[in-house]
Amino acid sequence: MASGWRAARLVAAGASMLAVSCGGKWTAQDSGAEMPDGAGGSAVTGQGGDAGSAAATACTAGEARCNASGRRETCTGDGGWSVSDFVCAQNVAVDDDVGSYCVTKADGSYRCWGDDPGGALPAERYRRVQLTRQGLIGLTEDGRLLAAETLLPDGLPPAASFRATNMWGYKGVCPLFVDGSFAVLLDRTPNPPDDGVGPTMVRQVEGSFTQAFCVFEGLGAGVRPDGSLWQLFRDETIPGEFTEVAFSGRIFCALTKAGGIECFAPEFTCGNTGIAACAGPEYPEFSGGPYRSVTATAGAVCAIDAEGALTCRRYDGADMPVPIDAGRFTFIEGGSDVLCGVRTDGSGACFRHGGGYFGEVGPFVPIEPALDPGW
């Protein structure tokens, strides 16, 4: 780990709740590189076969999926698979501070919707791009974190994933590095700049993680290699056999190795946010399953099961309706009042619910303009 970025420590400041913007504009960037047939791009997890095997598996006419090279395959009338030129989405990044969202495709290109303060990312192939209140941040295919406006330390080790959000009133970028270490990078540059204040403070979390990230107002959590859960807000560990954690300012849930979902009383945030609704004893409960992924917005927890079906619960445990024709998903991510996902056919979809950190939480409805069709 490079000593140049380890030296500084995070200093917590006062929290301030910021308004969520629903407006915005499209920001897009091509990958700058063609995907050759049968190669290129990042694999889309759990989808499809090889690009050259159009008739490898019998199927139902009209069915669509993504192959391991990130191309969409469509089932033909004779029960075989035909490879198209459509490049599948590999993830959608939702900013839990402002509710913007970006889809990144298997060829490294991306498209974002939200209020962009300006500045472009370098022309690279990206694994994930997020649009934040302080501009675009991207993770390249070779593990480099690049930002258009946010200042990042020099000499960061390769990252496996990241999440950017508001941390104690400053822009925070929380990377999980490929060696399992996790850090909170805090851009504390004043406006206008002051030579007496350093651009970035860092809090390096002790130990190793298989998953870790942070969310709005200084909260963080992760999964340890032994399956236990770590919490930044309490700096304590919950024992168990967990594989994935999901949380927001009002919800804390985790996916177990067996495919179940356990949610914990959300009182941990009440002293931080001052939200009176946190005091209720109820929290989401999930039956059925097994589930394979879980995420959270400011007012709901959502999970996809082994068949890709989407189920959501409000923070108080009530059912959270989703559009009946939402589809089946291989990936989901939530933040603010927005839920986005990647469908089994490689298209991206986003939904917004009423309420959020304040007010009554209503059902999810599709967001317009949509991420697809045609891109």
Side-chain angles (χ1 to χ4, degrees):
M1 198 69 69
S3 60
W5 71 270
R6 279 180 80 171
R9 301 294 292 176
L10 180 80
V11 179
S16 59
M17 192 67 69
L18 301 176
V20 173
S21 170
C22 297
K25 62 180 181 180
W26 287 117
T27 300
Q29 179 171 306
D30 295 330
S31 67
E34 293 294 328
M35 288 182 64
D37 290 338
S42 300
V44 180
T45 304
Q47 299 180 47
D50 295 331
S53 58
T57 307
C59 54
T60 303
E63 182 182 355
R65 69 181 187 182
C66 293
N67 62 33
S69 296
R71 298 279 192 175
R72 178 183 287 170
E73 298 178 336
T74 304
C75 186
T76 61
D78 61 2
W81 292 100
S82 175
V83 182
S84 74
D85 291 332
F86 182 86
V87 180
C88 297
Q90 61 182 358
N91 62 68
V92 185
V94 181
D95 190 271
D96 71 303
D97 179 12
V98 296
S100 61
Y101 43 94
C102 300
V103 59
T104 304
K105 304 192 84 170
D107 62 358
S109 62
Y110 64 85
R111 189 181 188 187
C112 300
W113 176 260
D115 290 323
D116 188 348
L121 289 174
E124 296 275 355
R125 293 175 66 103
Y126 290 93
R127 286 160 42 192
R128 170 186 161 93
V129 173
Q130 184 179 337
L131 176 58
T132 74
R133 186 181 295 277
Q134 197 165 314
L136 293 164
I137 300 176
L139 176 61
T140 67
E141 289 187 345
D142 59 0
R144 289 173 292 133
L145 276 176
L146 302 177
E149 303 291 338
T150 299
L151 294 181
L152 298 173
D154 294 329
L156 290 175
S161 62
F162 80 95
R163 184 79 178 265
T165 190
N166 171 35
M167 298 289 283
W168 298 286
Y170 296 94
K171 176 52 57 186
V173 182
C174 302
L176 176 65
F177 300 110
V178 294
D179 64 1
S181 60
F182 175 64
V184 179
L185 314 178
L186 195 64
D187 185 342
R188 293 170 58 87
T189 304
N191 188 16
D194 180 348
D195 292 340
V197 179
T200 308
M201 302 291 284
V202 178
R203 182 188 195 277
Q204 184 183 0
V205 180
E206 298 296 330
S208 183
F209 296 87
T210 58
Q211 185 212 11
F213 62 98
C214 57
V215 299
F216 197 46
E217 292 297 355
L219 305 178
V223 181
R224 299 283 193 184
D226 64 0
S228 61
L229 297 178
W230 165 85
Q231 307 170 74
L232 170 65
F233 35 84
R234 283 184 174 172
D235 200 17
E236 66 180 16
T237 298
I238 299 175
E241 294 187 344
F242 298 102
T243 61
E244 188 175 313
V245 64
F247 63 107
S248 74
R250 301 167 76 170
I251 296 168
F252 184 52
C253 297
L255 179 70
T256 69
K257 186 176 181 180
I261 296 176
E262 296 184 19
C263 294
F264 307 92
E267 288 87 350
F268 62 84
T269 63
C270 289
N272 182 37
T273 64
I275 299 173
C278 289
E282 297 184 66
Y283 48 90
E285 294 183 2
F286 286 79
S287 58
Y291 297 95
R292 62 179 180 179
S293 187
V294 62
T295 192
T297 72
V301 174
C302 296
I304 49 177
D305 64 19
E307 302 301 320
L310 180 65
T311 300
C312 295
R313 299 277 188 269
R314 292 193 335 186
Y315 71 91
D316 60 2
D319 286 340
M320 182 70 161
V322 295
I324 193 170
D325 58 349
R328 295 187 178 273
F329 294 83
T330 61
F331 174 91
I332 52 173
E333 180 167 308
S336 185
D337 56 350
V338 174
L339 172 72
C340 290
V342 177
R343 297 190 181 100
T344 54
D345 67 357
S347 63
C350 289
F351 310 91
R352 190 186 302 277
H353 63 65
Y357 286 106
F358 302 100
E360 181 67 17
V361 177
F364 281 107
V365 297
I367 287 179
E368 298 293 342
L371 292 176
D372 288 312
W375 182 80

